[in-house]
Amino acid sequence: MDNLRALAMLAGVVFHAALAYSPLMHPVWPAADAGGSRTVDAVAWFMHMFRMPLFFALAGYFAALLVARRGMAGLFRNRCARVLLPLALFTPPVLASMAWLTEHAADTVMRPSPALAWIRTYVDQHGAMPSMPGWAHLWFLFYLALFTLMVWVASTLELGRIGNRIAAMPATMLVVLFPFLTAPALALVGTPWPAPEFFIPALWALAFFGLYFAFGYQLFHHGALLDRLRSLSPFLLAGAVISYGVLFRWTDGFMDAPPSAVARGVRALLEACAGFWMTLWCLLAARRWLRSRSATMRWLADSAYWVYIVHLPVLLAVQYRLLDMPLHWIVKFVSSLIVTLLVSFASYQWLVRRTVIGRLLNGTVRPSTPPVAMVGTDTL
């Protein structure tokens, strides 16, 4: 699970780097480049369908593991130290750095994106940056804190019995049922679903990601569930790709608005199927191919939290500088991705890993070869 989380983190950096070259995001993303391709949208938004749902499923799994080892009080102590405190400490500098970088880019870039051009006009008229209250990419921590509280509520109401009944279902029934449970939440927002980054929690996000968190929580208690799903692995992958392909083609790369409420519901169901089936496939693939102990994967898993926090400001700093450079968008994409990862990893290794910040994010640094098969209880 830790190894899978490390790879999901890397996928997040790739996704955010791709947004600058996404035709769908070109009108609204500040670092949007003049170059781009629909291929970027096809790949990036497929990753978007399952990347964060997978994170919440993993978070639910580790929450159940913490409760089993340390009790409900131990879960709350851990989440206060590993989630609430980093959220409080890092949100102000992350938001401030992103705002400063964007304001500087709006003032200096010769070929600004549509969003940067609008910001430049706004600053000229009002003398200040527009107010954009939100958590930015740290919204995951905010919702994780909320779901931690819901673990206590569910435990008090003994809602685990519902999870036991669902986990006891035939594997094929679960594969079909779960998308129908999450589709109504997705139908309330556009396709693909937006990041719920505002300070006030969104009801659709609480329902959608909460179901994934609950699924991961039950997965810890019903490990045999993955064994029952193993034979469906190729069908899950094929079904996810086909569902997404139909959705992408039908919406013309997500450029077309749904013509009716029924169409919105069908699109939400396709989105839910692609996301859940791909999440299941990732869990099964991790169980098959990521079980071995590796010093490299251990280091990546340890660095994941820090990279998650700092990568977006670093990425924006790089991509704003690239806007005026006459390079092909592929060169810009690869360059921004490599520089962002190098800076994030180097800062973790030399400035964070064995410091008070590293202990705050990950606890005591673990050896490269963990003494037990299942690790990760001190992190997300």
Side-chain angles (χ1 to χ4, degrees):
M1 292 295 184
D2 254 358
N3 292 341
L4 178 60
R5 182 167 56 88
L7 295 181
M9 176 273 297
L10 291 176
V13 181
V14 174
F15 171 74
H16 284 135
L19 294 182
Y21 314 101
S22 159
L24 179 65
M25 295 295 291
H26 185 79
V28 297
W29 190 248
D33 195 86
S37 171
R38 282 173 60 92
T39 302
V40 174
D41 275 341
V43 176
W45 296 111
F46 180 62
M47 295 169 57
H48 177 74
M49 294 290 158
F50 65 90
R51 184 179 59 87
M52 293 310 301
L54 177 60
F55 263 122
F56 278 105
L58 292 172
Y61 183 95
F62 285 129
L65 190 150
L66 274 169
V67 172
R69 289 187 175 180
R70 306 181 188 179
M72 194 65 65
L75 172 68
F76 274 84
R77 285 194 298 268
N78 178 278
R79 290 305 182 243
C80 286
R82 303 284 184 258
V83 175
L84 285 180
L85 186 55
L87 181 63
L89 290 177
F90 290 109
T91 297
V94 165
L95 294 181
S97 63
M98 292 172 62
W100 181 85
L101 288 167
T102 300
E103 184 176 13
H104 182 264
D107 185 53
T108 59
V109 170
M110 301 299 296
R111 294 186 292 179
S113 66
L116 274 183
W118 177 85
I119 292 173
R120 176 182 294 174
T121 301
Y122 186 96
V123 172
D124 290 341
Q125 294 176 351
H126 299 85
M129 286 280 288
S131 176
M132 301 177 183
W135 301 103
H137 59 297
L138 303 184
W139 63 265
F140 171 73
L141 300 180
F142 173 62
Y143 281 87
L144 184 55
L146 295 178
F147 294 149
T148 300
L149 181 61
M150 291 181 183
V151 169
W152 174 77
V153 173
S155 176
T156 302
L157 298 177
E158 298 183 352
L159 298 181
R161 293 175 294 179
I162 300 176
N164 293 336
R165 293 175 183 175
I166 294 177
M169 289 180 177
T172 52
M173 184 178 297
L174 176 64
V175 168
V176 173
L177 174 63
F178 196 90
F180 278 95
L181 293 177
T182 56
L186 294 178
L188 297 176
V189 293
T191 304
W193 52 264
E197 59 185 24
F198 293 107
F199 286 131
I200 300 175
L203 292 179
W204 76 266
L206 289 174
F208 179 65
F209 295 116
L211 284 169
Y212 274 97
F213 184 91
F215 170 74
Y217 196 94
Q218 290 299 320
L219 189 62
F220 173 81
H221 295 289
H222 303 277
L225 178 60
L226 288 181
D227 292 328
R228 304 208 311 269
L229 291 168
R230 186 184 306 167
S231 61
L232 299 177
S233 179
F235 301 101
L236 292 170
L237 179 59
V241 172
I242 292 172
S243 298
Y244 176 76
V246 171
L247 179 63
F248 191 81
R249 181 67 181 271
W250 182 15
T251 59
D252 190 26
F254 305 116
M255 295 292 187
D256 290 344
S260 65
V262 174
R264 175 179 291 182
V266 175
R267 291 182 181 185
L269 182 59
L270 287 171
E271 189 177 11
C273 288
F276 183 59
W277 294 344
M278 197 64 197
T279 297
L280 287 180
W281 184 85
C282 288
L283 291 168
L284 292 168
R287 191 166 187 176
R288 179 176 180 181
W289 291 307
L290 297 179
R291 293 177 65 92
S292 61
R293 302 175 184 180
S294 164
T296 300
M297 293 302 298
R298 174 74 272 136
W299 188 91
L300 284 176
D302 286 341
S303 68
Y305 202 169
W306 173 254
V307 174
Y308 158 71
I309 290 173
V310 303
H311 80 275
L312 195 52
V314 175
L315 179 64
L316 289 179
V318 176
Q319 291 188 330
Y320 284 150
R321 294 294 298 271
L322 291 173
L323 285 178
D324 288 334
M325 295 185 179
L327 302 172
H328 193 276
W329 70 265
I330 295 180
V331 177
K332 293 183 179 182
F333 169 67
V334 174
S335 300
S336 63
L337 180 60
I338 292 176
V339 172
T340 299
L341 288 174
L342 286 177
V343 171
S344 300
F345 286 145
S347 62
Y348 170 74
Q349 178 64 30
W350 294 326
L351 303 177
V352 173
R353 181 170 173 81
R354 300 189 182 278
T355 67
V356 64
I357 299 177
R359 290 191 294 273
L360 170 65
L361 298 179
N362 294 326
T364 304
V365 175
R366 289 161 287 184
S368 58
T369 303
V372 293
M374 180 57 67
V375 293
T377 60
D378 288 335
T379 55
L380 297 185

